[in-house]
């Protein structure tokens, strides 16, 4: 599905649902089991069934027409949901084409179908072969074509020992050889989850959507009781109303418009995220993104490119440059991290000799903050400056590197500091501008890093974040998020490493980078396929757009009921109480044409609003009060005016129909 998710024009071609399929799905959704999911539309469905029965018993042009348009109201509501779901199904079909029963070559040499791989299996993948399942690279480095997942044609680097080790089943290795440790069971891969999510099969109603459904259900019950109570008064007044008229009144009074479009709005919000290469595992996260107050960003791989490389050796007297380089090389011989490999590349020199291979490698730990090698009576270590006793001169060198945004890595032999390695990381372009946009939205940005405070401050100043947390351990990130949440604020976190997983799980919106580890992607409730941390701006905009769209259409739905009162109530009772004819401000022709015009408008307005529900109301950064004024002016006033004009125009046509006009 190359480019299906990445290029908008490709999405328009391949993801747009065929209208015939949407119509067929809308008909299938007429089943009562589906209608029960929406109390409002179930009442309309039941009313349609009731009016149809009366039309069959005592047919008339008016009764048949009302029954037909009530069924069309239900059909149009189903069509809105079917069109929204159709987009996801088209994307799911494209994703399915990337799935294949890829053979997997285990590290033991056994070849098995990819569907038989279990968690923990080690598989070898070489150039030209397809990766058989989701996992982490545990050995080697390779370029990988991920266009089938991300739509981006440029290959990416995947390597062991860093935060760029996660690989996705169905992608292709272009060069070199890697060993992958499988991390998911068959049928639960990243592609499998994407298929289920974009189809809407696992879409659950969000808290706001549930609350609105309860409100709409309550209004429906109130109007149902009011209409039922209306008949005794009508009988007492000598103007008994038919069941058909009462049903038409009920359908026009309940909030049918928003009830019909509510599901489509939620599905379309998820779809807009997918079109921006973001996979959300819950609608709750999308809504929460619209109300985020603070954003925590991991520095390495998120704000910066993340591929810190050794760029300079700075010896400290009396050690020479050659002595420092030799010690740094020995300390990095067994270091399979990207930084370790870059030190070897900068140091040059021959491969490890047989004597050097006899040394005992000491891996890095969060407690010691250093790694190295024990070779005979030589104890060589490299690590964070805080792990060593530094002289004043050494401290000045370390502080100087940190102040310029570099990461100092101290090298020592037998306790004597030989010098410092400068590791350089680069801030991604456009970060300052993007953070300024977040600030304009009222979102506070905090950079979280394991670097020392001087390095962290330099990177924070360059990137333009509001605050930073230096020398952060996983528990520090978790504590910071909890402190922010204690004040009732919603927190978003982006990250890509395994050490980011606890914070991603705790955050209200956890956006994991696709280049990151499997643990990070499992912990977050969103995955950015482009691995662009500034994508959160778009995620926030989509979240706000979802909330605004739902609010705007709810306002419109409630407001347009006003015109229906002026259409139907005079038609029902003007003959009994002539004074009520003054409320017939639209001068509708007859009681039957007035009622039928209101029912027709009630159905057609759903069709008119489907594009808006799918596209969403445009979001412009502004205050909550400004958004409220805009909604009331555009959708509140518009919801009052539009039905008056619409019902009047429809009545001009309906009055021409024999038996009604």
């Amino acid at each position: 599905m190359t480019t299906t998710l990445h290029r908008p024009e490709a999405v328009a071609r391949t993801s747009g649902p065929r209208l015939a399929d949407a119509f067929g799905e809308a008909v299938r959704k007429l089943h009562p089991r589906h209608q029960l999911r929406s109390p409002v539309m179930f009442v309309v469905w039941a009313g349609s069934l009731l009016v149809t029965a009366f039309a069959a018993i005592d047919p008339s042009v008016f009764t048949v027409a009302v029954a037909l348009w009530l069924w069309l109201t239900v059909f149009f509501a189903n069509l809105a949901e079917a069109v929204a779901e159709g987009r996801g199904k088209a994307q799911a079909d494209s994703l399915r084409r990337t799935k294949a029963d890829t053979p997997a070559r285990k590290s033991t040499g056994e070849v098995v179908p990819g569907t038989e791989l279990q968690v923990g299996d080690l598989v070898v993948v070489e150039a030209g072969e397809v990766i058989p399942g989701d996992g982490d690279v545990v050995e080697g480095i390779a370029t990988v074509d991920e266009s089938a997942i991300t739509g981006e044609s440029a290959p990416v680097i995947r390597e062991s020992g860093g935060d760029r080790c996660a690989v996705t089943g169905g992608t292709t290795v272009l060069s070199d050889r890697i060993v992958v440790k499988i991390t998911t069971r068959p049928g639960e891969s990243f592609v499998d989850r994407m298929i289920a999510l974009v189809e809407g099969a696992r879409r659950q109603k969000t808290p706001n959507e549930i609350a609105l459904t309860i409100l709409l259900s309550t209004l429906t019950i109130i109007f149902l009781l009011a209409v039922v109570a209306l008949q005794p008064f009508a009988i007492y007044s000598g103007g008994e109303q038919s069941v058909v008229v009462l049903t038409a009144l009920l359908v026009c009074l309940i909030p049918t418009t928003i009830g019909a479009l509510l599901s489509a709005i939620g599905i379309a919000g998820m779809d807009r995220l997918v079109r921006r290469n973001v996979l959300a595992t819950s609608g709750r996260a999308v809504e929460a993104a619209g109300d985020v107050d603070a954003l925590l960003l991991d520095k390495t791989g998120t704000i910066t490119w993340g591929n810190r490389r050794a760029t300079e050796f700075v010896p400290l007297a009396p050690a020479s440059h050659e002595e420092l380089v030799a010690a740094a090389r020995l300390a990095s011989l067994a270091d399979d991290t990207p930084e370790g490999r870059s030190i070897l590349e900068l140091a040059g020199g021959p491969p490890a000799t047989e004597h050097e291979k006899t040394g005992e490698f000491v891996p890095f730990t969060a407690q010691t903050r250093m790694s190295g090698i024990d070779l005979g009576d030589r104890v060589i270590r490299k690590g964070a400056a805080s792990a060593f006793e530094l002289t004043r001169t050494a401290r000045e060198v370390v502080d100087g590197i940190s102040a310029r945004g570099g990461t100092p890595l101290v090298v020592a032999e037998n306790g004597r500091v030989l010098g410092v390695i400068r590791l350089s990381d680069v801030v991604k372009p456009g970060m300052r501008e993007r953070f300024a946009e977040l600030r304009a939205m009222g979102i506070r940005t905090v950079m979280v890093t394991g670097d020392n405070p001087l390095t962290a401050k330099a990177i924070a100043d360059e990137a333009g974040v509001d605050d930073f947390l230096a020398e952060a351990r996983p528990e520090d990130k978790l504590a910071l998020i909890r402190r922010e949440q204690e004040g009732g604020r919603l927190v978003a976190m982006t990250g890509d490493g395994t050490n980011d997983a606890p914070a991603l799980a705790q955050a209200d919106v956890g956006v994991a980078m696709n280049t990151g580890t499997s643990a990070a992607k499992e912990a977050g409730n969103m995955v950015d396929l482009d691995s662009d941390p500034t994508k959160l701006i778009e995620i926030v905009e989509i979240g706000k757009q979802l909330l605004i769209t739902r609010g705007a259409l709810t306002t419109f739905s409630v407001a347009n009921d006003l015109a229906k009162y002026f259409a139907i109530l005079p038609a029902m009772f003007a003959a009994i109480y002539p004074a009520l004819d003054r409320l017939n401000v639209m001068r509708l022709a007859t009681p039957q044409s007035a009622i039928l015009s209101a029912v027709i408008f009630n159905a057609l307005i759903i069709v008119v609003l489907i594009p808006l529900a799918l596209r969403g109301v445009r979001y412009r950064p502004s205050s909550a009060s400004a958004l409220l004024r805009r909604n009331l002016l555009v959708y509140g006033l518009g919801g009052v005016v539009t039905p008056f004009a619409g019902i009047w125009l429809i009545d001009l046509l309906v009055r021409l129909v024999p038996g009604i006009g």
Side-chain angles (χ1 to χ4, degrees):
M1 55 157 242
T2 304
T3 73
T4 298
L5 296 180
H6 191 70
R7 294 181 176 84
E9 64 270 22
V11 171
R13 285 197 304 271
T14 61
S15 297
R18 290 183 300 179
L19 199 56
D21 293 341
F23 271 83
E25 185 64 23
V27 173
R28 284 190 289 273
K29 288 178 181 289
L30 290 173
H31 193 284
R33 185 172 59 249
H34 177 81
Q35 296 302 318
L36 278 169
R37 298 176 185 176
S38 172
V40 176
M41 296 315 302
F42 178 74
V43 169
V44 180
W45 179 87
S48 305
L49 201 62
L50 182 63
V51 174
T52 301
F54 276 92
I57 296 170
D58 185 17
S60 67
V61 175
F62 173 71
T63 305
V64 171
V66 171
L68 174 63
W69 281 100
L70 288 180
W71 280 117
L72 285 174
T73 302
V74 181
F75 175 79
F76 291 150
N78 293 344
L79 184 63
E81 186 174 1
V83 171
E85 289 177 349
R87 293 181 175 185
K89 288 178 180 178
Q91 291 170 346
D93 290 340
S94 297
L95 283 167
R96 280 193 183 94
R97 289 194 288 271
T98 70
K99 286 177 61 63
D101 189 5
T102 307
R105 180 157 46 94
K106 292 187 176 182
S107 58
T108 58
E110 180 186 3
V111 178
V112 298
T115 54
E116 295 183 7
L117 290 173
Q118 299 299 321
V119 175
D121 285 348
L122 298 177
V123 296
V124 179
V125 189
E126 297 184 347
E129 296 179 347
V130 176
I131 297 172
D134 292 1
D136 292 329
V137 178
V138 295
E139 181 183 321
I141 179 172
T143 55
V144 180
D145 176 11
E146 294 188 340
S147 60
I149 304 300
T150 66
E152 179 58 61
S153 58
V156 296
I157 301 294
R158 291 292 177 264
E159 57 189 345
S160 63
D163 289 341
R164 295 174 180 268
C165 64
V167 291
T168 305
T171 57
T172 305
V173 173
L174 299 179
S175 70
D176 302 294
R177 171 187 180 276
I178 53 175
V179 177
V180 177
K181 183 178 182 180
I182 300 299
T183 57
T184 58
R185 291 187 292 269
E188 298 180 4
S189 69
F190 190 65
V191 173
D192 291 317
R193 284 183 290 143
M194 285 181 70
I195 291 171
L197 289 164
V198 300
E199 276 187 320
R202 295 183 185 173
R203 195 189 83 85
Q204 297 179 344
K205 288 186 177 182
T206 63
N208 285 347
E209 194 173 347
I210 292 172
L212 184 56
T213 300
I214 294 173
L215 173 62
L216 298 180
S217 302
T218 303
L219 290 175
T220 300
I221 293 171
I222 291 172
F223 282 122
L224 177 61
L225 294 175
V227 170
V228 170
L230 196 62
Q231 184 72 312
F233 288 103
I235 294 173
Y236 177 80
S237 303
E240 182 179 355
Q241 301 296 320
S242 69
V243 173
V244 174
V245 171
L246 291 173
T247 302
L249 174 64
L250 174 63
V251 170
C252 289
L253 293 186
I254 63 178
T256 314
T257 307
I258 185 60
L261 298 173
L262 187 59
S263 180
I265 293 170
I267 295 171
M270 299 283 281
D271 177 69
R272 283 193 291 275
L273 273 181
V274 173
R275 286 168 179 263
R276 286 165 175 79
N277 272 6
V278 177
L279 175 65
T281 58
S282 73
R284 181 194 297 265
V286 183
E287 283 190 353
D291 290 326
V292 160
D293 300 293
L295 166 62
L296 275 62
L297 303 104
D298 180 53
K299 187 208 78 171
T300 305
T302 306
I303 293 177
T304 63
W305 287 112
N307 53 343
R308 293 188 304 180
R309 300 185 60 83
T311 54
E312 183 184 5
F313 292 113
V314 183
L316 296 171
S320 65
H321 183 273
E322 291 74 18
E323 189 178 359
L324 171 61
V325 171
R329 173 183 165 276
L330 283 173
S332 305
L333 283 175
D335 187 352
D336 201 32
T337 65
E339 291 85 358
R341 287 194 287 267
S342 73
I343 293 172
L344 288 177
E345 184 180 334
L346 182 63
T353 65
E354 291 301 321
H355 172 64
E356 292 169 343
K357 289 180 181 179
T358 62
E360 181 182 353
F361 178 67
V362 179
F364 177 88
T365 66
Q367 288 73 32
T368 62
R369 300 180 66 82
M370 65 174 69
S371 63
I373 189 172
D374 294 339
L375 186 61
D377 58 355
R378 301 179 67 185
V379 178
I380 302 173
R381 296 289 185 268
K382 60 181 175 65
S386 58
F388 298 89
E389 291 289 337
L390 300 180
T391 63
R392 180 177 178 180
T393 302
R395 174 58 61 187
E396 289 175 353
V397 171
V398 166
D399 291 347
I401 292 174
S402 299
R404 292 190 293 273
T407 301
L409 203 62
V410 175
V411 179
E413 181 173 348
N414 296 333
R416 181 170 67 95
V417 174
L418 303 178
V420 183
I421 306 171
R422 180 198 300 274
L423 299 178
S424 299
D425 205 350
V426 180
V427 173
K428 294 180 179 180
M431 296 298 291
R432 177 173 288 275
E433 292 75 14
R434 299 291 270 175
F435 288 142
E437 291 181 46
L438 286 168
R439 199 173 296 112
M441 294 180 186
I443 299 174
R444 176 170 161 265
T445 54
V446 181
M447 182 186 79
V448 182
T449 177
D451 289 336
N452 63 70
L454 284 175
T455 302
K457 185 178 187 308
I459 297 292
D461 291 342
E462 184 179 353
V465 296
D466 296 317
D467 202 353
F468 66 90
L469 176 66
E471 297 181 339
R473 298 166 298 173
E475 53 267 34
D476 296 328
K477 301 176 186 179
L478 198 59
L480 178 60
I481 292 176
R482 286 173 175 166
R483 283 199 302 272
E484 293 282 346
Q485 291 172 330
E486 284 174 0
R489 293 180 290 271
L490 297 184
V491 180
M493 165 82 184
T494 65
D496 60 354
T498 300
N499 63 341
D500 296 323
L504 288 170
Q506 177 68 33
D508 300 285
V509 181
V511 184
M513 302 295 105
N514 190 45
T515 55
T517 61
S518 298
K521 289 192 283 188
E522 288 290 337
N525 48 30
M526 291 188 187
V527 177
D528 177 18
L529 302 180
D530 293 329
S531 300
D532 176 9
T534 63
K535 184 76 68 64
L536 190 80
I537 295 175
E538 296 177 48
I539 295 173
V540 169
E541 289 176 347
I542 290 171
K544 290 183 180 295
Q545 187 182 43
L546 175 65
L547 297 175
I548 292 170
T549 302
R550 191 180 293 150
L553 292 184
T554 301
T555 303
F556 185 91
S557 178
V558 173
N560 71 21
D561 287 342
L562 181 63
K564 299 168 192 173
Y565 302 152
F566 283 91
I568 295 181
L569 292 179
M572 293 175 62
F573 297 108
I576 305 173
Y577 302 106
L580 286 178
D581 191 56
R582 297 175 184 174
L583 297 179
N584 186 13
V585 295
M586 292 174 279
R587 311 318 302 169
L588 305 179
T590 65
Q592 286 186 329
S593 74
I595 293 169
L596 184 57
S597 297
V599 172
I600 293 174
F601 176 84
N602 196 58
L604 292 180
I605 196 63
I606 295 173
V607 180
V608 173
L609 292 176
I610 287 177
L612 181 61
L614 299 181
R615 186 181 65 251
V617 176
R618 185 179 177 185
Y619 168 70
R620 298 184 182 90
S622 56
S623 64
S625 58
L627 288 174
L628 178 61
R629 285 195 301 270
R630 178 187 168 215
N631 266 3
L632 291 177
L633 180 63
V634 176
Y635 298 98
L637 184 60
V640 172
V641 174
T642 302
F644 278 98
I647 292 174
W648 178 74
L649 289 172
I650 293 171
D651 181 73
L652 294 179
L653 299 175
V654 169
R655 68 177 63 179
L656 302 177
V657 178
I660 294 180

